[in-house]
Amino acid sequence: MTDEAAADFETVHGARPSGVWAAPGRVNLIGEHTDYNDGFVLPIALPHTTRITARRRADGRLRLFSAQGDGTITDLALDHLKPGVVTSWAAYPAGVFWALAEAGHAIGGADLFVDSDVPTGAGLSSSAALECATAAALNDLYGLGLSAPELAVLAQRAENAFVGVPCGVMDQMASACCTDGTALFLDTRTLEQRHVPLDLAAAGLRLLVIDTRVKHDLGDGAYAALRAGCERAAELLGLPALRDLRAADLPAALDRLPGELRPLVRHVVTEDARVTATVEHLDAGRIAELGPILTAGHASLRDDFGVSCAETDLAVEAAVAAGALGARMTGGGFGGSVIALVAAARVAEVSEAVRAAFRSAGFAEPVTFTAVPSAGARRTA
């Protein structure tokens, strides 16, 4: 580990750490709001990570400190952890401790020092990065021997049952399982996964991320309402999940549903088809042809699922008008980030066009960077 990480940890916790673990944020290339419908997703991990420097404790206490926090230590007793008890950022790592204990794994206390460069509230899965880095650290500190997918499922359990956000498993699987230079093609029902090569540089392309700086909060009820609507539609159609509705049967199925559920179902079914089409393009080396698929996905999220906003719509419109091959919002919505597929030579031009459009609209200036498919959770020191 770096001397700086060890020194920071020792300053806060008064002892030497045992190691450092990191887990990345993610952007989702395509496949939005399909994971909790047992569908398909295609995320990549970002180079941005949450890093946890940690050591075991023998007294059953969890002491948490964040370099991005308010300078205080959150001190918790593991045997008092239950949903609803922790309401700050500390709920995410505390939830992982709770989920592991609930699953029967023998874990004790720990000191954690958290440091992250994953933007928060930007739709880039900062919460999953925190959960998966915690899970990876505990897996090693306590010799649990759990696989990356097993850690991801436990991290999702922490967010669902402890934090109270009914997310699907995509974010945690991406943070735990992605590999360098690939997108993760994931069947969220079976958790079968395939690492699909995504060499943007070789194709002369870049994936531009546009953080609109509109903060989103998936715990505010809107996300849960969408999930409940999808589950109600599947029940009315007599299906285990909307993943089981074939595209050919979509028109007839929509006729059987109340009006407010039809656009939700249409989005999920067409989005699953967009994921499989994207994978086919990647397998055939046709990366540049993904643009229209991305833009169609955004239209579906905007018009059918209703999770876009003025800033994300403007980012998509401005990027495409400036020459991006395609663009879409990424993540749960209600703000957050947009991704745009752009020729390498036009990244600066597209970025400036989006910034100019935001200035003209009176919006806060967005933050842009290019995403490089990166590795999932791992020990770094």
Side-chain angles (χ1 to χ4, degrees):
M1 73 191 73
T2 66
D3 291 341
E4 183 180 0
D8 288 344
F9 182 93
E10 192 164 0
T11 296
V12 171
H13 291 296
R16 292 284 297 177
S18 300
V20 182
W21 292 260
R26 67 96 189 94
V27 291
N28 191 20
L29 196 60
I30 196 78
E32 223 64 80
H33 291 276
T34 51
D35 58 349
Y36 56 77
N37 289 293
D38 282 2
F40 303 101
V41 295
L42 191 67
I44 65 170
L46 292 170
H48 305 69
T49 62
T50 294
R51 298 163 299 283
I52 289 184
T53 310
R55 75 176 184 113
R56 291 171 53 156
R57 291 182 66 91
D59 58 359
R61 301 203 70 83
L62 172 59
R63 299 177 80 247
L64 304 162
F65 181 90
S66 172
Q68 286 72 47
D70 60 5
T72 62
I73 295 175
T74 300
D75 192 336
L76 303 167
L78 292 184
D79 57 4
H80 291 164
L81 291 181
K82 62 181 181 179
V85 167
V86 187
T87 57
S88 68
W89 68 271
Y92 295 95
V96 173
F97 279 79
W98 172 84
L100 284 165
E102 188 193 45
H105 298 289
I107 58 169
D111 290 330
L112 304 184
F113 183 102
V114 180
D115 193 7
S116 181
D117 58 10
V118 182
T120 60
L124 302 177
S125 296
S126 59
S127 59
L130 177 53
E131 292 156 355
C132 290
T134 302
L138 293 176
N139 193 40
D140 288 348
L141 286 175
Y142 284 96
L144 303 181
L146 297 172
S147 68
E150 288 173 325
L151 293 175
V153 170
L154 285 163
Q156 182 206 14
R157 171 70 175 157
E159 189 152 347
N160 288 174
F162 194 87
V163 181
V165 177
C167 64
V169 76
M170 174 185 67
D171 294 352
Q172 290 81 9
M173 287 292 288
S175 187
C177 302
C178 276
T179 59
D180 284 319
T182 67
L184 181 69
F185 180 34
L186 175 69
D187 180 335
T188 64
R189 170 173 285 169
T190 66
L191 298 188
E192 180 182 357
Q193 57 180 269
R194 179 161 71 89
H195 299 284
V196 183
L198 179 61
D199 192 343
L200 293 160
L205 299 170
R206 298 291 185 271
L207 190 66
L208 180 67
V209 179
I210 305 161
D211 177 1
T212 67
R213 298 173 63 193
V214 177
K215 301 297 184 182
H216 76 308
D217 181 0
L218 298 187
D220 66 1
Y223 185 97
L226 290 167
R227 179 169 183 163
C230 291
E231 291 170 348
R232 180 168 170 247
E235 183 180 2
L236 290 173
L237 294 170
L239 300 171
L242 290 182
R243 176 253 183 78
D244 298 293
L245 179 58
R246 298 185 305 170
D249 298 329
L250 178 60
L254 295 181
D255 288 341
R256 296 166 52 195
L257 293 170
E260 70 273 13
L261 297 181
R262 292 173 188 169
L264 302 184
V265 174
R266 183 165 51 239
H267 167 73
V268 172
V269 173
T270 59
E271 186 79 346
D272 269 335
R274 283 186 284 272
V275 175
T276 55
T278 298
V279 172
E280 290 171 2
H281 278 65
L282 293 180
D283 284 339
R286 301 192 302 265
I287 302 177
E289 296 178 24
L290 298 181
I293 299 176
L294 302 183
T295 306
H298 182 78
S300 184
L301 288 163
R302 180 192 65 212
D303 300 336
D304 279 345
F305 229 65
V307 295
S308 191
C309 66
E311 289 85 352
T312 48
D313 288 343
L314 181 58
V316 168
E317 293 162 9
V320 172
L325 301 177
R328 62 179 286 272
M329 57 151 280
T330 187
F334 313 106
S337 296
V338 162
I339 56 171
L341 188 65
V342 184
R346 303 193 71 172
V347 169
E349 178 184 348
V350 171
S351 298
E352 178 52 36
V354 174
R355 285 192 289 268
F358 272 49
R359 286 194 296 269
S360 295
F363 297 153
E365 183 167 320
V367 176
T368 62
F369 61 91
T370 53
V372 178
S374 301
R378 69 270 186 197
R379 184 169 185 163
T380 61

